[in-house]
Every structure is written in C-alpha cells, then in structure tokens.
Amino acid sequence: NWTYSEEGKNYFQKRFESDLSIILVAVDREKIIGYILAFIDSFSYRNTNPICEIENMFLEEQYRSQRIGTMLINEVKNQAKEKGAKKLRVGALAQNSEAIKFYHSLGLEDMNLYLESELL
C-alpha cells in the first residue's frame, strides 16, 4: 500500500517532475497494463557515473512472458544513454527468482549482495 500512501505519492510526484526520470507506461487497448520508472543519479562511491536505476517496474501477470517487460527495459536503456548514463542497475528481493532470472536474461549481472536481519 506504500504506493498509495502520502510518502508514495510524494515520491512519484518528485520523479514525474524530474528531468532525470524515465517513466514509461505499457498500454493494451487503452488499459494500463504496466509501467517502469527509472532514475539517473551519480554516487560518490562509484567510479562509473551517472547510473540509471530501475526503481519501480510492474506488469499485470497475464501480460508477463510476452516480451513487454523486455521492451520497457530496452527503451529505458535507450533513453538512459541519451541522458548520459553509463550503467543500468536494478534491485530485486533475493527470493524473487523469476525477476532475477528475467534481469539476467537481459544481460544484467550480479553486483552486490546485501544481507540483513531483525534487531530484536
């Protein structure tokens, strides 16, 4: 429900207003079936900058495995290059093996692994 919270709305509003955002929508017969939101940023701890990060991506389940997600990511890559980005990155939950497999199929490689635990 974060997307519909005030914090989520503020996040999306800031991204919509930024020239460093890439926002694409997939439509089938006038119905929105998915979207991708990427943001270009620079990081002091990285040698290669700027980096385009896919921050949000969603595709209705019945439209998956139809290359729509691939088309969205490929268009993000094109626009990111035009905006000067040097790399593309995306985060995925370690348990989300389908998403990780999908990203690997597009040439993205494992870069970092974060481990965490609850502090009780």
Side-chain angles (χ1 to χ4, degrees), residues 53-116:
E53 180 170 1
I54 298 169
E55 294 182 338
N56 280 277
M57 183 175 176
F58 174 77
L59 191 59
E60 294 280 350
E61 195 165 336
Q62 66 267 29
Y63 292 93
R64 295 177 188 173
S65 299
Q66 297 181 26
R67 303 200 46 82
I68 297 167
T70 299
M71 288 188 289
L72 288 170
I73 288 180
N74 285 339
E75 184 57 27
V76 164
K77 286 179 179 180
N78 292 336
Q79 290 189 29
K81 285 181 201 175
E82 289 176 11
K83 292 179 182 260
K86 305 293 187 227
K87 289 196 176 257
L88 176 72
R89 77 176 179 190
V90 62
L93 290 173
Q95 299 86 352
N96 193 345
S97 58
E98 288 299 313
I100 294 167
K101 181 180 170 184
F102 169 67
Y103 295 130
H104 283 161
S105 76
L106 296 174
L108 285 95
E109 299 175 350
D110 297 349
M111 181 65 177
N112 293 319
L113 173 65
Y114 293 95
L115 306 167
E116 64 181 48

Side-chain angles (χ1 to χ4, degrees), residues 4 7-8 10 16 21 26 29 31 35 37-38 40-41 48 54 58 61 76 80-82 86 99 109:
Y4 301 103
E7 184 181 8
N10 290 337
F16 290 144
S21 294
R29 295 182 197 103
K31 178 187 175 206
Y35 72 92
L37 185 156
I40 299 170
D41 206 352
T48 306
I54 298 169
F58 174 77
E61 195 165 336
V76 164
K81 285 181 201 175
E82 289 176 11
K86 305 293 187 227
E109 299 175 350

Side-chain angles (χ1 to χ4, degrees), residues 11-24 36-43 50-56 76 79-80 83 85-90:
Y11 158 79
F12 281 106
Q13 186 66 41
K14 286 179 184 175
R15 290 300 189 247
F16 290 144
E17 294 170 354
S18 175
D19 291 337
L20 297 174
S21 294
I22 300 169
I23 303 168
L24 305 169
I36 190 167
L37 185 156
F39 189 74
I40 299 170
D41 206 352
S42 293
F43 302 89
I51 297 172
C52 179
E53 180 170 1
I54 298 169
E55 294 182 338
N56 280 277
V76 164
Q79 290 189 29
K83 292 179 182 260
K86 305 293 187 227
K87 289 196 176 257
L88 176 72
R89 77 176 179 190
V90 62

